Amino acid sequence: MGEETGNSIILSDQIYCMDCMELVSQMPDRYVSMILTDPPYGISYQNNFTNSRHQVLDGDEGIDYELFAHESYRILKDNAHAYFFTRFDCYPYHYECLRQAGFAIKNCMVIEKGTVGGIGDLKGSYANNAEWIIFCQKGRRIFNHTTLLQNRKKAGNRFHAGRELSKKYKTRFNACWFGTEYPKATYNSVWQKQNGIYHPTIKNVVFLSWLIQISSQPGELIFDGFMGTGSTALAAIETDRRYLGAEINREYYETAVRRIAKMQ
Ligand SMILES: C[S@@+](CC[C@H](N)C(=O)[O-])C[C@H]1O[C@@H](n2cnc3c(N)ncnc32)[C@H](O)[C@@H]1O
């Protein structure tokens, strides 16, 4: 773990308690193999599912997204994948910044949440039950073959005359992950209470580990500039990848350090 880099040598398997933009400014070009990141959206976020309200997230007055998109493109290796969490009302701006930075934008993924959000106009808007992710490529990289999801048809069945035999495991995933076969994007409030880990936008480690397995190889370096409670780092460790990132809030940074130590 690191407090501050202090020089331009960036190691891996580190979370720095610092501003992400300072960290990336010290990173060499094409340094990381995959970006999986969950930035603040530039709004004051309050979650109403418990009586104890979360503090407003650091950075929620907004980050310089244009610069962040540009730096993300620069530090990513060629022929690599990047995932940026977003939200419907920020999507047009985030999309445009990422496109202008040079990314090829391939999908907007929509992933079911583990709990339905209790913010906004409770009587005049639909409940937000999904996370949105902009999936990008720098250059071109094909998805890994994984054993995450089985095809429903039995392996070896011919499902169409003249077509090749169906494989046991899915090689093409949907952009929308809903239903019991997929992990949820977030935990529910019961999980947070049971684990004593509170963060208004914490993500499910299993779900993150699926994206990592689809888009990177063991040993590769996964970057998340907004680590929160360290979920991306845990997912990287679980899948034998390396991790690197920042978290500006000391309390969340310490939670991340604790979670990593417990896992190791
Ligand atoms: C959407 S949350 C990420 C939550 C994380 N995915 C998890 O599962 O815990 C964004 C995080 O970015 C942090 N943050 C905001 N501005 C930052 C900055 N400039 N540099 C580093 N971290 C920042 C916030 O404190 C917050 O914890």
mmCIF file of all heavy atoms in Angstrom, residues 67-114:
data_model
loop_
_atom_site.group_PDB
_atom_site.id
_atom_site.type_symbol
_atom_site.label_atom_id
_atom_site.label_comp_id
_atom_site.label_asym_id
_atom_site.label_seq_id
_atom_site.Cartn_x
_atom_site.Cartn_y
_atom_site.Cartn_z
ATOM 1 N N LEU A 67 -10.106 15.275 -18.949
ATOM 2 C CA LEU A 67 -8.702 14.959 -18.676
ATOM 3 C C LEU A 67 -8.566 13.496 -18.239
ATOM 4 O O LEU A 67 -7.640 12.793 -18.667
ATOM 5 C CB LEU A 67 -8.165 15.900 -17.587
ATOM 6 C CG LEU A 67 -6.718 15.677 -17.161
ATOM 7 C CD1 LEU A 67 -5.758 15.884 -18.334
ATOM 8 C CD2 LEU A 67 -6.334 16.628 -16.011
ATOM 9 N N PHE A 68 -9.502 13.053 -17.408
ATOM 10 C CA PHE A 68 -9.460 11.659 -16.939
ATOM 11 C C PHE A 68 -9.563 10.681 -18.126
ATOM 12 O O PHE A 68 -8.827 9.693 -18.194
ATOM 13 C CB PHE A 68 -10.595 11.418 -15.931
ATOM 14 C CG PHE A 68 -10.705 9.992 -15.486
ATOM 15 C CD1 PHE A 68 -9.659 9.377 -14.807
ATOM 16 C CD2 PHE A 68 -11.846 9.256 -15.758
ATOM 17 C CE1 PHE A 68 -9.749 8.047 -14.407
ATOM 18 C CE2 PHE A 68 -11.944 7.921 -15.360
ATOM 19 C CZ PHE A 68 -10.898 7.324 -14.688
ATOM 20 N N ALA A 69 -10.448 10.975 -19.063
ATOM 21 C CA ALA A 69 -10.616 10.113 -20.245
ATOM 22 C C ALA A 69 -9.316 10.088 -21.057
ATOM 23 O O ALA A 69 -8.838 9.021 -21.481
ATOM 24 C CB ALA A 69 -11.780 10.613 -21.092
ATOM 25 N N HIS A 70 -8.742 11.261 -21.228
ATOM 26 C CA HIS A 70 -7.506 11.388 -22.008
ATOM 27 C C HIS A 70 -6.360 10.610 -21.339
ATOM 28 O O HIS A 70 -5.641 9.843 -21.989
ATOM 29 C CB HIS A 70 -7.157 12.876 -22.127
ATOM 30 C CG HIS A 70 -5.901 13.130 -22.881
ATOM 31 N ND1 HIS A 70 -5.862 13.202 -24.251
ATOM 32 C CD2 HIS A 70 -4.628 13.287 -22.439
ATOM 33 C CE1 HIS A 70 -4.617 13.400 -24.627
ATOM 34 N NE2 HIS A 70 -3.845 13.454 -23.555
ATOM 35 N N GLU A 71 -6.218 10.766 -20.028
ATOM 36 C CA GLU A 71 -5.151 10.088 -19.293
ATOM 37 C C GLU A 71 -5.383 8.574 -19.253
ATOM 38 O O GLU A 71 -4.429 7.791 -19.313
ATOM 39 C CB GLU A 71 -5.056 10.643 -17.863
ATOM 40 C CG GLU A 71 -4.456 12.032 -17.778
ATOM 41 C CD GLU A 71 -2.962 12.023 -18.100
ATOM 42 O OE1 GLU A 71 -2.613 11.878 -19.297
ATOM 43 O OE2 GLU A 71 -2.135 12.159 -17.187
ATOM 44 N N SER A 72 -6.631 8.172 -19.173
ATOM 45 C CA SER A 72 -6.944 6.734 -19.162
ATOM 46 C C SER A 72 -6.483 6.096 -20.475
ATOM 47 O O SER A 72 -5.904 5.005 -20.487
ATOM 48 C CB SER A 72 -8.462 6.510 -18.985
ATOM 49 O OG SER A 72 -8.873 6.986 -17.734
ATOM 50 N N TYR A 73 -6.751 6.800 -21.559
ATOM 51 C CA TYR A 73 -6.342 6.278 -22.871
ATOM 52 C C TYR A 73 -4.816 6.182 -22.938
ATOM 53 O O TYR A 73 -4.263 5.193 -23.409
ATOM 54 C CB TYR A 73 -6.869 7.194 -23.972
ATOM 55 C CG TYR A 73 -6.703 6.614 -25.354
ATOM 56 C CD1 TYR A 73 -7.625 5.703 -25.865
ATOM 57 C CD2 TYR A 73 -5.616 6.965 -26.154
ATOM 58 C CE1 TYR A 73 -7.469 5.160 -27.139
ATOM 59 C CE2 TYR A 73 -5.454 6.426 -27.424
ATOM 60 C CZ TYR A 73 -6.387 5.524 -27.909
ATOM 61 O OH TYR A 73 -6.223 4.977 -29.157
ATOM 62 N N ARG A 74 -4.168 7.181 -22.414
ATOM 63 C CA ARG A 74 -2.688 7.227 -22.484
ATOM 64 C C ARG A 74 -2.040 6.097 -21.682
ATOM 65 O O ARG A 74 -1.094 5.460 -22.136
ATOM 66 C CB ARG A 74 -2.201 8.594 -21.952
ATOM 67 C CG ARG A 74 -0.693 8.791 -22.021
ATOM 68 C CD ARG A 74 -0.252 10.094 -21.382
ATOM 69 N NE ARG A 74 -0.497 10.187 -19.956
ATOM 70 C CZ ARG A 74 0.216 9.569 -19.013
ATOM 71 N NH1 ARG A 74 1.239 8.790 -19.340
ATOM 72 N NH2 ARG A 74 -0.080 9.710 -17.736
ATOM 73 N N ILE A 75 -2.554 5.820 -20.474
ATOM 74 C CA ILE A 75 -1.879 4.824 -19.616
ATOM 75 C C ILE A 75 -2.252 3.382 -19.973
ATOM 76 O O ILE A 75 -1.632 2.448 -19.479
ATOM 77 C CB ILE A 75 -2.176 5.058 -18.108
ATOM 78 C CG1 ILE A 75 -3.668 4.902 -17.805
ATOM 79 C CG2 ILE A 75 -1.635 6.399 -17.641
ATOM 80 C CD1 ILE A 75 -3.987 4.828 -16.322
ATOM 81 N N LEU A 76 -3.268 3.213 -20.834
ATOM 82 C CA LEU A 76 -3.701 1.850 -21.190
ATOM 83 C C LEU A 76 -2.840 1.303 -22.329
ATOM 84 O O LEU A 76 -2.527 2.016 -23.280
ATOM 85 C CB LEU A 76 -5.186 1.880 -21.610
ATOM 86 C CG LEU A 76 -5.856 0.542 -21.888
ATOM 87 C CD1 LEU A 76 -5.868 -0.370 -20.656
ATOM 88 C CD2 LEU A 76 -7.302 0.756 -22.377
ATOM 89 N N LYS A 77 -2.479 0.030 -22.204
ATOM 90 C CA LYS A 77 -1.722 -0.626 -23.284
ATOM 91 C C LYS A 77 -2.571 -0.655 -24.554
ATOM 92 O O LYS A 77 -3.795 -0.556 -24.478
ATOM 93 C CB LYS A 77 -1.397 -2.068 -22.885
ATOM 94 C CG LYS A 77 -0.283 -2.198 -21.859
ATOM 95 C CD LYS A 77 0.102 -3.675 -21.742
ATOM 96 C CE LYS A 77 0.918 -3.997 -20.512
ATOM 97 N NZ LYS A 77 2.151 -3.266 -20.333
ATOM 98 N N ASP A 78 -1.917 -0.857 -25.690
ATOM 99 C CA ASP A 78 -2.665 -1.032 -26.939
ATOM 100 C C ASP A 78 -3.402 -2.366 -26.888
ATOM 101 O O ASP A 78 -2.970 -3.314 -26.215
ATOM 102 C CB ASP A 78 -1.698 -1.033 -28.128
ATOM 103 C CG ASP A 78 -1.046 0.335 -28.300
ATOM 104 O OD1 ASP A 78 -1.669 1.346 -27.912
ATOM 105 O OD2 ASP A 78 0.096 0.380 -28.802
ATOM 106 N N ASN A 79 -4.472 -2.445 -27.625
ATOM 107 C CA ASN A 79 -5.271 -3.671 -27.730
ATOM 108 C C ASN A 79 -5.717 -4.159 -26.344
ATOM 109 O O ASN A 79 -5.372 -5.244 -25.901
ATOM 110 C CB ASN A 79 -4.500 -4.762 -28.482
ATOM 111 C CG ASN A 79 -4.062 -4.263 -29.850
ATOM 112 O OD1 ASN A 79 -4.821 -3.585 -30.534
ATOM 113 N ND2 ASN A 79 -2.831 -4.537 -30.236
ATOM 114 N N ALA A 80 -6.432 -3.269 -25.660
ATOM 115 C CA ALA A 80 -6.859 -3.561 -24.293
ATOM 116 C C ALA A 80 -8.255 -3.004 -24.048
ATOM 117 O O ALA A 80 -8.750 -2.165 -24.806
ATOM 118 C CB ALA A 80 -5.859 -2.929 -23.312
ATOM 119 N N HIS A 81 -8.876 -3.497 -22.986
ATOM 120 C CA HIS A 81 -10.267 -3.136 -22.657
ATOM 121 C C HIS A 81 -10.334 -2.152 -21.495
ATOM 122 O O HIS A 81 -9.509 -2.206 -20.571
ATOM 123 C CB HIS A 81 -11.053 -4.395 -22.270
ATOM 124 C CG HIS A 81 -11.285 -5.324 -23.415
ATOM 125 N ND1 HIS A 81 -11.795 -6.594 -23.260
ATOM 126 C CD2 HIS A 81 -11.089 -5.156 -24.759
ATOM 127 C CE1 HIS A 81 -11.905 -7.164 -24.444
ATOM 128 N NE2 HIS A 81 -11.480 -6.327 -25.368
ATOM 129 N N ALA A 82 -11.368 -1.300 -21.515
ATOM 130 C CA ALA A 82 -11.597 -0.354 -20.416
ATOM 131 C C ALA A 82 -13.093 -0.285 -20.118
ATOM 132 O O ALA A 82 -13.918 -0.227 -21.038
ATOM 133 C CB ALA A 82 -11.067 1.026 -20.789
ATOM 134 N N TYR A 83 -13.423 -0.300 -18.839
ATOM 135 C CA TYR A 83 -14.816 -0.226 -18.386
ATOM 136 C C TYR A 83 -14.954 0.991 -17.478
ATOM 137 O O TYR A 83 -14.232 1.108 -16.470
ATOM 138 C CB TYR A 83 -15.187 -1.474 -17.582
ATOM 139 C CG TYR A 83 -15.184 -2.778 -18.356
ATOM 140 C CD1 TYR A 83 -13.997 -3.477 -18.579
ATOM 141 C CD2 TYR A 83 -16.363 -3.314 -18.843
ATOM 142 C CE1 TYR A 83 -13.993 -4.680 -19.274
ATOM 143 C CE2 TYR A 83 -16.370 -4.525 -19.540
ATOM 144 C CZ TYR A 83 -15.181 -5.201 -19.746
ATOM 145 O OH TYR A 83 -15.183 -6.395 -20.431
ATOM 146 N N PHE A 84 -15.902 1.867 -17.786
ATOM 147 C CA PHE A 84 -16.148 3.072 -16.988
ATOM 148 C C PHE A 84 -17.597 3.047 -16.498
ATOM 149 O O PHE A 84 -18.523 3.132 -17.332
ATOM 150 C CB PHE A 84 -15.921 4.332 -17.839
ATOM 151 C CG PHE A 84 -14.511 4.467 -18.362
ATOM 152 C CD1 PHE A 84 -14.153 3.909 -19.589
ATOM 153 C CD2 PHE A 84 -13.538 5.141 -17.631
ATOM 154 C CE1 PHE A 84 -12.855 4.018 -20.080
ATOM 155 C CE2 PHE A 84 -12.234 5.263 -18.118
ATOM 156 C CZ PHE A 84 -11.893 4.698 -19.341
ATOM 157 N N PHE A 85 -17.783 2.940 -15.201
ATOM 158 C CA PHE A 85 -19.141 3.060 -14.661
ATOM 159 C C PHE A 85 -19.661 4.473 -14.962
ATOM 160 O O PHE A 85 -18.901 5.442 -14.899
ATOM 161 C CB PHE A 85 -19.160 2.836 -13.145
ATOM 162 C CG PHE A 85 -19.058 1.384 -12.761
ATOM 163 C CD1 PHE A 85 -17.840 0.742 -12.726
ATOM 164 C CD2 PHE A 85 -20.197 0.669 -12.428
ATOM 165 C CE1 PHE A 85 -17.742 -0.600 -12.378
ATOM 166 C CE2 PHE A 85 -20.116 -0.678 -12.075
ATOM 167 C CZ PHE A 85 -18.893 -1.308 -12.048
ATOM 168 N N THR A 86 -20.960 4.557 -15.263
ATOM 169 C CA THR A 86 -21.564 5.845 -15.544
ATOM 170 C C THR A 86 -23.014 5.825 -15.078
ATOM 171 O O THR A 86 -23.427 4.906 -14.374
ATOM 172 C CB THR A 86 -21.448 6.184 -17.051
ATOM 173 O OG1 THR A 86 -21.925 7.507 -17.279
ATOM 174 C CG2 THR A 86 -22.230 5.216 -17.912
ATOM 175 N N ARG A 87 -23.758 6.862 -15.456
ATOM 176 C CA ARG A 87 -25.180 6.904 -15.106
ATOM 177 C C ARG A 87 -25.925 7.563 -16.247
ATOM 178 O O ARG A 87 -25.324 8.316 -17.022
ATOM 179 C CB ARG A 87 -25.350 7.715 -13.818
ATOM 180 C CG ARG A 87 -26.392 7.177 -12.887
ATOM 181 C CD ARG A 87 -26.588 8.100 -11.743
ATOM 182 N NE ARG A 87 -26.513 9.482 -12.195
ATOM 183 C CZ ARG A 87 -26.385 10.519 -11.378
ATOM 184 N NH1 ARG A 87 -26.287 10.336 -10.092
ATOM 185 N NH2 ARG A 87 -26.339 11.744 -11.871
ATOM 186 N N PHE A 88 -27.228 7.286 -16.375
ATOM 187 C CA PHE A 88 -27.935 7.703 -17.589
ATOM 188 C C PHE A 88 -27.784 9.196 -17.890
ATOM 189 O O PHE A 88 -27.614 9.590 -19.041
ATOM 190 C CB PHE A 88 -29.425 7.304 -17.508
ATOM 191 C CG PHE A 88 -30.245 8.184 -16.600
ATOM 192 C CD1 PHE A 88 -30.997 9.225 -17.131
ATOM 193 C CD2 PHE A 88 -30.254 8.001 -15.232
ATOM 194 C CE1 PHE A 88 -31.745 10.054 -16.309
ATOM 195 C CE2 PHE A 88 -30.994 8.826 -14.405
ATOM 196 C CZ PHE A 88 -31.735 9.855 -14.934
ATOM 197 N N ASP A 89 -27.785 10.040 -16.846
ATOM 198 C CA ASP A 89 -27.752 11.479 -17.111
ATOM 199 C C ASP A 89 -26.332 12.001 -17.362
ATOM 200 O O ASP A 89 -26.158 13.111 -17.866
ATOM 201 C CB ASP A 89 -28.433 12.266 -15.979
ATOM 202 C CG ASP A 89 -27.910 11.887 -14.607
ATOM 203 O OD1 ASP A 89 -27.239 10.848 -14.483
ATOM 204 O OD2 ASP A 89 -28.167 12.631 -13.649
ATOM 205 N N CYS A 90 -25.312 11.205 -17.016
ATOM 206 C CA CYS A 90 -23.917 11.595 -17.291
ATOM 207 C C CYS A 90 -23.421 10.928 -18.567
ATOM 208 O O CYS A 90 -22.367 11.290 -19.095
ATOM 209 C CB CYS A 90 -22.985 11.143 -16.165
ATOM 210 S SG CYS A 90 -23.542 11.548 -14.526
ATOM 211 N N TYR A 91 -24.183 9.924 -19.024
ATOM 212 C CA TYR A 91 -23.727 9.087 -20.134
ATOM 213 C C TYR A 91 -23.331 9.894 -21.376
ATOM 214 O O TYR A 91 -22.239 9.673 -21.929
ATOM 215 C CB TYR A 91 -24.811 8.043 -20.466
ATOM 216 C CG TYR A 91 -24.472 7.154 -21.610
ATOM 217 C CD1 TYR A 91 -23.626 6.053 -21.449
ATOM 218 C CD2 TYR A 91 -24.976 7.400 -22.894
ATOM 219 C CE1 TYR A 91 -23.307 5.234 -22.511
ATOM 220 C CE2 TYR A 91 -24.660 6.583 -23.958
ATOM 221 C CZ TYR A 91 -23.824 5.505 -23.763
ATOM 222 O OH TYR A 91 -23.501 4.698 -24.812
ATOM 223 N N PRO A 92 -24.148 10.846 -21.855
ATOM 224 C CA PRO A 92 -23.763 11.555 -23.093
ATOM 225 C C PRO A 92 -22.413 12.261 -22.967
ATOM 226 O O PRO A 92 -21.594 12.214 -23.884
ATOM 227 C CB PRO A 92 -24.900 12.570 -23.294
ATOM 228 C CG PRO A 92 -26.046 12.019 -22.523
ATOM 229 C CD PRO A 92 -25.446 11.288 -21.345
ATOM 230 N N TYR A 93 -22.193 12.891 -21.815
ATOM 231 C CA TYR A 93 -20.929 13.626 -21.638
ATOM 232 C C TYR A 93 -19.752 12.657 -21.505
ATOM 233 O O TYR A 93 -18.710 12.822 -22.148
ATOM 234 C CB TYR A 93 -21.032 14.536 -20.402
ATOM 235 C CG TYR A 93 -19.760 15.318 -20.153
ATOM 236 C CD1 TYR A 93 -19.276 16.199 -21.109
ATOM 237 C CD2 TYR A 93 -19.034 15.146 -18.974
ATOM 238 C CE1 TYR A 93 -18.104 16.910 -20.895
ATOM 239 C CE2 TYR A 93 -17.852 15.841 -18.757
ATOM 240 C CZ TYR A 93 -17.392 16.720 -19.719
ATOM 241 O OH TYR A 93 -16.225 17.409 -19.513
ATOM 242 N N HIS A 94 -19.915 11.621 -20.689
ATOM 243 C CA HIS A 94 -18.839 10.638 -20.509
ATOM 244 C C HIS A 94 -18.514 9.964 -21.849
ATOM 245 O O HIS A 94 -17.353 9.772 -22.200
ATOM 246 C CB HIS A 94 -19.253 9.574 -19.477
ATOM 247 C CG HIS A 94 -19.316 10.117 -18.078
ATOM 248 N ND1 HIS A 94 -19.789 9.387 -17.014
ATOM 249 C CD2 HIS A 94 -18.941 11.324 -17.566
ATOM 250 C CE1 HIS A 94 -19.706 10.121 -15.917
ATOM 251 N NE2 HIS A 94 -19.211 11.292 -16.229
ATOM 252 N N TYR A 95 -19.555 9.599 -22.592
ATOM 253 C CA TYR A 95 -19.376 8.955 -23.902
ATOM 254 C C TYR A 95 -18.522 9.845 -24.807
ATOM 255 O O TYR A 95 -17.551 9.383 -25.421
ATOM 256 C CB TYR A 95 -20.758 8.713 -24.529
ATOM 257 C CG TYR A 95 -20.729 8.048 -25.882
ATOM 258 C CD1 TYR A 95 -21.001 6.688 -26.026
ATOM 259 C CD2 TYR A 95 -20.422 8.779 -27.040
ATOM 260 C CE1 TYR A 95 -20.974 6.077 -27.280
ATOM 261 C CE2 TYR A 95 -20.389 8.188 -28.289
ATOM 262 C CZ TYR A 95 -20.672 6.838 -28.404
ATOM 263 O OH TYR A 95 -20.636 6.235 -29.636
ATOM 264 N N GLU A 96 -18.883 11.125 -24.870
ATOM 265 C CA GLU A 96 -18.199 12.049 -25.772
ATOM 266 C C GLU A 96 -16.733 12.241 -25.360
ATOM 267 O O GLU A 96 -15.839 12.266 -26.197
ATOM 268 C CB GLU A 96 -18.961 13.383 -25.793
ATOM 269 C CG GLU A 96 -18.626 14.269 -26.970
ATOM 270 C CD GLU A 96 -18.598 13.579 -28.324
ATOM 271 O OE1 GLU A 96 -19.354 12.605 -28.558
ATOM 272 O OE2 GLU A 96 -17.769 13.990 -29.167
ATOM 273 N N CYS A 97 -16.506 12.355 -24.037
ATOM 274 C CA CYS A 97 -15.114 12.520 -23.565
ATOM 275 C C CYS A 97 -14.280 11.294 -23.922
ATOM 276 O O CYS A 97 -13.129 11.423 -24.380
ATOM 277 C CB CYS A 97 -15.082 12.700 -22.040
ATOM 278 S SG CYS A 97 -15.739 14.264 -21.475
ATOM 279 N N LEU A 98 -14.835 10.101 -23.729
ATOM 280 C CA LEU A 98 -14.091 8.870 -23.992
ATOM 281 C C LEU A 98 -13.837 8.714 -25.496
ATOM 282 O O LEU A 98 -12.746 8.323 -25.923
ATOM 283 C CB LEU A 98 -14.845 7.658 -23.429
ATOM 284 C CG LEU A 98 -14.921 7.627 -21.900
ATOM 285 C CD1 LEU A 98 -15.970 6.633 -21.405
ATOM 286 C CD2 LEU A 98 -13.562 7.283 -21.293
ATOM 287 N N ARG A 99 -14.835 9.071 -26.295
ATOM 288 C CA ARG A 99 -14.675 8.973 -27.752
ATOM 289 C C ARG A 99 -13.581 9.939 -28.216
ATOM 290 O O ARG A 99 -12.693 9.567 -28.978
ATOM 291 C CB ARG A 99 -16.008 9.299 -28.432
ATOM 292 C CG ARG A 99 -16.056 8.957 -29.911
ATOM 293 C CD ARG A 99 -17.320 9.458 -30.555
ATOM 294 N NE ARG A 99 -17.392 10.916 -30.585
ATOM 295 C CZ ARG A 99 -16.727 11.698 -31.434
ATOM 296 N NH1 ARG A 99 -15.921 11.160 -32.332
ATOM 297 N NH2 ARG A 99 -16.846 13.019 -31.376
ATOM 298 N N GLN A 100 -13.642 11.151 -27.697
ATOM 299 C CA GLN A 100 -12.642 12.140 -28.127
ATOM 300 C C GLN A 100 -11.242 11.790 -27.643
ATOM 301 O O GLN A 100 -10.246 12.155 -28.261
ATOM 302 C CB GLN A 100 -13.034 13.517 -27.608
ATOM 303 C CG GLN A 100 -14.244 14.021 -28.352
ATOM 304 C CD GLN A 100 -14.321 15.535 -28.404
ATOM 305 O OE1 GLN A 100 -13.417 16.222 -27.965
ATOM 306 N NE2 GLN A 100 -15.417 16.029 -28.948
ATOM 307 N N ALA A 101 -11.154 11.044 -26.544
ATOM 308 C CA ALA A 101 -9.838 10.623 -26.048
ATOM 309 C C ALA A 101 -9.222 9.559 -26.963
ATOM 310 O O ALA A 101 -8.015 9.317 -26.901
ATOM 311 C CB ALA A 101 -9.973 10.074 -24.629
ATOM 312 N N GLY A 102 -10.038 8.917 -27.788
ATOM 313 C CA GLY A 102 -9.510 7.931 -28.744
ATOM 314 C C GLY A 102 -10.094 6.537 -28.597
ATOM 315 O O GLY A 102 -9.812 5.655 -29.415
ATOM 316 N N PHE A 103 -10.895 6.311 -27.567
ATOM 317 C CA PHE A 103 -11.452 4.967 -27.353
ATOM 318 C C PHE A 103 -12.483 4.611 -28.426
ATOM 319 O O PHE A 103 -13.238 5.484 -28.877
ATOM 320 C CB PHE A 103 -12.160 4.891 -25.991
ATOM 321 C CG PHE A 103 -11.224 4.778 -24.822
ATOM 322 C CD1 PHE A 103 -11.066 5.841 -23.938
ATOM 323 C CD2 PHE A 103 -10.510 3.614 -24.593
ATOM 324 C CE1 PHE A 103 -10.214 5.746 -22.853
ATOM 325 C CE2 PHE A 103 -9.648 3.516 -23.505
ATOM 326 C CZ PHE A 103 -9.504 4.576 -22.633
ATOM 327 N N ALA A 104 -12.510 3.333 -28.780
ATOM 328 C CA ALA A 104 -13.618 2.801 -29.577
ATOM 329 C C ALA A 104 -14.663 2.326 -28.581
ATOM 330 O O ALA A 104 -14.387 1.423 -27.780
ATOM 331 C CB ALA A 104 -13.134 1.638 -30.437
ATOM 332 N N ILE A 105 -15.838 2.932 -28.597
ATOM 333 C CA ILE A 105 -16.867 2.581 -27.606
ATOM 334 C C ILE A 105 -17.731 1.475 -28.187
ATOM 335 O O ILE A 105 -18.338 1.635 -29.248
ATOM 336 C CB ILE A 105 -17.683 3.823 -27.214
ATOM 337 C CG1 ILE A 105 -16.709 4.829 -26.580
ATOM 338 C CG2 ILE A 105 -18.803 3.456 -26.254
ATOM 339 C CD1 ILE A 105 -17.250 6.177 -26.327
ATOM 340 N N LYS A 106 -17.760 0.341 -27.493
ATOM 341 C CA LYS A 106 -18.367 -0.852 -28.071
ATOM 342 C C LYS A 106 -19.764 -1.149 -27.521
ATOM 343 O O LYS A 106 -20.579 -1.713 -28.212
ATOM 344 C CB LYS A 106 -17.475 -2.084 -27.806
ATOM 345 C CG LYS A 106 -16.031 -1.917 -28.250
ATOM 346 C CD LYS A 106 -15.891 -1.717 -29.735
ATOM 347 C CE LYS A 106 -15.878 -3.032 -30.479
ATOM 348 N NZ LYS A 106 -15.482 -2.858 -31.879
ATOM 349 N N ASN A 107 -19.998 -0.832 -26.259
ATOM 350 C CA ASN A 107 -21.305 -1.129 -25.649
ATOM 351 C C ASN A 107 -21.573 -0.187 -24.497
ATOM 352 O O ASN A 107 -20.646 0.334 -23.881
ATOM 353 C CB ASN A 107 -21.348 -2.531 -25.005
ATOM 354 C CG ASN A 107 -21.270 -3.664 -25.982
ATOM 355 O OD1 ASN A 107 -20.239 -4.294 -26.114
ATOM 356 N ND2 ASN A 107 -22.361 -3.935 -26.665
ATOM 357 N N CYS A 108 -22.866 -0.051 -24.187
ATOM 358 C CA CYS A 108 -23.244 0.433 -22.855
ATOM 359 C C CYS A 108 -23.819 -0.795 -22.137
ATOM 360 O O CYS A 108 -24.884 -1.299 -22.509
ATOM 361 C CB CYS A 108 -24.299 1.517 -22.951
ATOM 362 S SG CYS A 108 -24.799 2.067 -21.318
ATOM 363 N N MET A 109 -23.097 -1.298 -21.167
ATOM 364 C CA MET A 109 -23.571 -2.466 -20.427
ATOM 365 C C MET A 109 -24.556 -2.005 -19.343
ATOM 366 O O MET A 109 -24.392 -0.937 -18.757
ATOM 367 C CB MET A 109 -22.409 -3.212 -19.782
ATOM 368 C CG MET A 109 -21.421 -3.760 -20.793
ATOM 369 S SD MET A 109 -20.081 -4.679 -20.000
ATOM 370 C CE MET A 109 -20.938 -6.180 -19.482
ATOM 371 N N VAL A 110 -25.567 -2.814 -19.093
ATOM 372 C CA VAL A 110 -26.558 -2.498 -18.055
ATOM 373 C C VAL A 110 -26.636 -3.715 -17.134
ATOM 374 O O VAL A 110 -26.965 -4.816 -17.576
ATOM 375 C CB VAL A 110 -27.934 -2.193 -18.680
ATOM 376 C CG1 VAL A 110 -28.941 -1.826 -17.590
ATOM 377 C CG2 VAL A 110 -27.822 -1.055 -19.686
ATOM 378 N N ILE A 111 -26.263 -3.506 -15.886
ATOM 379 C CA ILE A 111 -26.096 -4.626 -14.951
ATOM 380 C C ILE A 111 -27.055 -4.462 -13.770
ATOM 381 O O ILE A 111 -27.080 -3.394 -13.133
ATOM 382 C CB ILE A 111 -24.650 -4.674 -14.393
ATOM 383 C CG1 ILE A 111 -23.610 -4.480 -15.512
ATOM 384 C CG2 ILE A 111 -24.408 -5.943 -13.598
ATOM 385 C CD1 ILE A 111 -23.486 -5.586 -16.500
ATOM 386 N N GLU A 112 -27.809 -5.493 -13.483
ATOM 387 C CA GLU A 112 -28.799 -5.420 -12.398
ATOM 388 C C GLU A 112 -28.109 -5.193 -11.055
ATOM 389 O O GLU A 112 -27.080 -5.815 -10.754
ATOM 390 C CB GLU A 112 -29.582 -6.741 -12.346
ATOM 391 C CG GLU A 112 -30.736 -6.721 -11.391
ATOM 392 C CD GLU A 112 -31.540 -8.021 -11.435
ATOM 393 O OE1 GLU A 112 -31.083 -9.018 -12.035
ATOM 394 O OE2 GLU A 112 -32.637 -8.023 -10.854
ATOM 395 N N LYS A 113 -28.696 -4.301 -10.258
ATOM 396 C CA LYS A 113 -28.145 -4.045 -8.921
ATOM 397 C C LYS A 113 -28.658 -5.083 -7.932
ATOM 398 O O LYS A 113 -29.732 -5.665 -8.133
ATOM 399 C CB LYS A 113 -28.622 -2.680 -8.427
ATOM 400 C CG LYS A 113 -27.989 -1.496 -9.080
ATOM 401 C CD LYS A 113 -28.445 -0.276 -8.301
ATOM 402 C CE LYS A 113 -27.902 0.988 -8.880
ATOM 403 N NZ LYS A 113 -27.977 2.094 -7.948
ATOM 404 N N GLY A 114 -27.926 -5.217 -6.833
ATOM 405 C CA GLY A 114 -28.356 -6.132 -5.768
ATOM 406 C C GLY A 114 -29.429 -5.514 -4.900
ATOM 407 O O GLY A 114 -30.101 -6.197 -4.129
#
